[in-house]
Amino acid sequence: MAALRMLWTGLVLLGLLGFLQTPAQGHESVHPNFQQDKFLGRWYSAGLASNSSWFREKKAVISMCKTVIAPSTDGGLNLTSTFLRKNQCETKIMLLQPIGLPGHYKYNSPHWGSVHTILVMETNYNEYALLFSRGTKGPGQDFRMATLYSRSATPKDKLKKKFISFSKSMGLTEEDIVFLPQPDKCIQE
Ligand SMILES: *[C@@H]1O[C@H](CO)[C@@H](O)[C@H](O)[C@H]1NC(C)=O
Ligand SMILES: *[C@@H]1O[C@H](CO)[C@@H](O)[C@H](O)[C@H]1NC(C)=O
């Protein structure tokens, strides 16, 4: 269970995720002409939506984290996330590898030996990004997850509404969605 919790901490940090068994395909199309260089910098994980049973249990206690995205040497992304845990600020680094198409990334979990796929579905770069992934948190337990990345730790209502309709368009329901509270420390703007 500790291992599962650790994995989920990672998922929440990233903002989202899934171990995809098959490459991204079908109706999910990423942001057209996605420009990775404009996606870099600081983001706040302002909203999350997932149908995973773990997330349903824990969503009330998850708080916002700050993620700084930098390019990595392989053309992918280096995510440095800061979050509050047991009343202390912790930092975690995750490396996302490019998988050929702009806005498509994967993350290899050394702990689980699993592969997670992350898609940037929509962004205007200077205000918000909508991300999506699909996968399983364990054998036979598929889940999907949507994330709202916001440049500001206090996203506007308009942005929250956008995230709600995005989540629904990705097959999630109103009760799967949570807007994360800002902790007092760790994520100063
Ligand atoms: C990722 O970024 C962090 C913070 O800047 C840095 O310390 C670390 O070396 C980077 N890792 C890689 C593999 O680029
Ligand atoms: C989440 O949604 C996916 C895709 O619709 C489904 O396959 C999966 O069973 C759902 N997972 C849970 C835990 O409800």
Side-chain angles (χ1 to χ4, degrees), residues 16-188:
L16 72 128
L17 281 204
F19 333 159
L20 227 72
Q21 268 128 11
T22 52
Q25 53 180 280
H27 66 283
E28 288 147 16
S29 57
V30 296
H31 192 79
N33 309 315
F34 176 72
Q35 291 172 272
Q36 179 173 285
D37 57 328
K38 293 170 78 179
F39 182 62
L40 305 177
R42 184 170 57 184
W43 291 103
Y44 296 93
S45 59
L48 288 177
S50 176
N51 72 344
S52 111
S53 44
W54 185 94
F55 180 76
R56 281 184 176 145
E57 273 170 43
K58 301 289 179 191
K59 67 180 181 183
V61 300
I62 299 170
S63 60
M64 196 181 284
C65 77
K66 178 176 81 179
T67 297
V68 177
I69 304 183
S72 59
T73 46
D74 64 359
L77 300 172
N78 176 342
L79 274 60
T80 306
S81 296
T82 310
F83 57 98
L84 184 67
R85 186 155 172 263
K86 295 192 176 140
N87 212 32
Q88 296 206 312
C89 297
E90 288 189 20
T91 294
K92 186 170 166 130
I93 292 170
M94 296 180 101
L95 297 171
L96 306 192
Q97 297 167 259
I99 52 175
L101 294 167
H104 288 68
Y105 301 96
K106 71 169 180 177
Y107 168 69
N108 290 314
S109 164
H111 190 85
W112 286 77
S114 53
V115 178
H116 309 241
T117 299
I118 298 142
L119 309 175
V120 182
M121 304 293 290
E122 186 184 322
T123 181
N124 65 358
Y125 305 105
N126 60 13
E127 192 188 4
Y128 74 93
L130 302 171
L131 299 101
F132 181 69
S133 82
R134 211 158 19 101
T136 61
K137 80 173 164 91
Q141 273 199 292
D142 291 347
F143 72 92
R144 46 182 65 199
M145 190 176 239
T147 304
L148 170 63
Y149 266 4
S150 169
R151 289 292 189 189
S152 157
T154 49
K156 297 198 171 79
D157 283 351
K158 196 180 67 176
L159 204 49
K160 292 184 179 179
K161 285 193 185 121
K162 186 189 265 296
F163 182 62
I164 292 169
S165 52
F166 170 68
S167 299
K168 286 179 177 169
S169 77
M170 301 315 287
L172 294 155
T173 65
E174 196 105 25
E175 66 186 23
D176 296 331
I177 301 169
V178 64
F179 290 101
L180 302 174
Q182 225 180 308
D184 296 335
K185 45 185 186 177
C186 308
I187 69 155
Q188 280 79 27

